[in-house]
């Protein structure tokens, strides 16, 4: 069973649902040529897709176009349903760094056919994830810089202030659909600059004040 650890404590949560927000940064929407959604776009990844610091990404043989997407990860520590926005932050145990890997070619083909695109987002190793810092140590989660580099070349550099839907709004909206449980993880969307990764690439994602995450493409 894969767990989410909070640094500096003995707390560890078995990873439950990984709930992800798509199209939550305007510049990222523009770079992919998508429409801006009125409500958060939600998809899921299985816990089996998680890998940790220093592990290898394995791109499935059915794709030739795997993209990186650096994101702020939110770890739920308190169960909730229909959570008001004003109480949303009370349900967060920690914040971490995640990379949402996307098989862009597979996703595009399935979208074109009107089919679900789970296999483009939920394959094994599709969710590199750091340890978490205690939420109480993060003064302003809505003002965090998100950066990602590939082979020491900068690719992504955005800020959580640029989110269309804020963290409390995301939690409130999601809890109206799913009961949020301790160990659930929310990926809050990615800023612009996404791009392909290939065999041998070294990827570093970091959010100052939260942590960093280093993985390699096998």
């Amino acid at each position: 069973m894969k767990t989410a650890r909070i640094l500096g404590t003995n707390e560890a949560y078995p990873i439950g649902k990984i709930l992800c927000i798509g199209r939550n940064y305007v510049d990222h929407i523009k770079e992919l040529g998508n429409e801006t959604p009125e409500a958060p776009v939600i998809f899921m990844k299985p816990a089996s897709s998680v890998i940790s610091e220093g592990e290898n990404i394995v791109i499935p043989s059915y794709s030739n176009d795997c993209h990186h997407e650096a994101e702020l990860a939110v770890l739920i520590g308190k169960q909730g349903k229909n959570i008001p926005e004003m109480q949303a932050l009370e349900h967060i145990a920690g914040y971490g760094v995640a990379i949402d890997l996307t098989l862009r070619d597979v996703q595009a083909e399935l979208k074109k056919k009107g089919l679900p695109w789970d296999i483009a987002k939920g394959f094994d190793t599709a969710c590199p994830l750091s340890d978490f810092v205690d939420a109480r140590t993060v003064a302003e989660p809505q003002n965090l810089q998100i950066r990602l580099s590939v082979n020491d070349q900068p690719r992504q550099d955005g800020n959580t202030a640029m989110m269309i839907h804020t963290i409390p709004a995301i939690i409130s909206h999601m809890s109206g659909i799913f009961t949020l449980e301790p160990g659930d993880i929310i990926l809050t969307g990615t800023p612009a600059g996404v791009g392909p990764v290939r065999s041998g690439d070294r990827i570093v994602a970091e959010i100052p004040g939260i942590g960093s995450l280093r993985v390699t493409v096998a």
Side-chain angles (χ1 to χ4, degrees):
M1 181 179 293
K2 301 194 176 186
T3 59
R5 297 190 309 121
I6 297 183
L7 294 169
T9 74
N10 294 320
E11 294 182 64
Y13 296 80
I15 295 175
K17 302 182 290 294
I18 303 175
L19 301 167
C20 311
I21 292 289
R23 305 185 191 179
N24 200 29
Y25 288 76
V26 172
D27 287 351
H28 174 57
I29 293 171
K30 289 179 179 177
E31 72 180 347
L32 295 184
N34 292 323
E35 294 182 3
T36 302
E38 293 183 9
V41 175
I42 302 172
F43 61 93
M44 299 176 71
K45 289 177 180 273
S48 57
S49 67
V50 171
I51 59 172
S52 302
E53 171 80 15
E55 294 193 71
N56 290 334
I57 296 164
V58 179
I59 300 173
S61 59
Y62 56 84
S63 174
N64 294 306
D65 192 21
C66 180
H67 282 209
H68 60 75
E69 301 183 12
E71 312 203 5
L72 174 68
V74 173
L75 174 63
I76 298 298
K78 176 184 173 184
Q79 183 169 314
K81 176 71 175 174
N82 295 319
I83 302 167
E85 282 191 38
M86 292 292 291
Q87 299 173 15
L89 297 183
E90 300 170 14
H91 291 260
I92 299 175
Y95 295 98
V97 183
I99 302 172
D100 169 19
L101 292 169
T102 304
L103 306 179
R104 195 71 70 198
D105 52 349
V106 175
Q107 183 188 44
E109 188 62 28
L110 291 168
K111 279 184 176 180
K112 191 186 303 180
K113 296 177 180 178
L115 297 172
W117 30 270
D118 302 61
I119 63 171
K121 288 280 194 179
F123 59 94
D124 288 352
T125 77
C127 189
L129 185 67
S130 74
D131 288 331
F132 289 78
V133 297
D134 192 318
R136 294 170 294 187
T137 68
V138 181
E140 185 44 82
Q142 215 61 68
N143 185 23
L144 297 170
Q145 207 69 18
I146 301 176
R147 302 188 183 102
L148 182 141
S149 63
V150 177
N151 302 324
D152 300 321
Q153 298 300 310
R155 291 273 189 91
Q156 293 185 266
D157 190 355
N159 192 288
T160 57
M162 301 163 65
M163 287 181 182
I164 297 171
H165 305 287
T166 64
I167 296 163
I170 290 168
I171 290 174
S172 180
H173 180 78
M174 284 189 169
S175 71
I177 303 165
F178 313 97
T179 297
L180 297 181
E181 301 169 307
D184 287 350
I185 293 170
I186 297 174
L187 304 192
T188 56
T190 194
V194 303
V197 295
R198 298 181 175 83
S199 179
D201 282 349
R202 294 172 287 105
I203 305 169
V204 179
E206 62 176 345
I207 302 176
I210 302 298
S212 61
L213 177 62
R214 293 169 173 80
V215 288
T216 303
V217 183

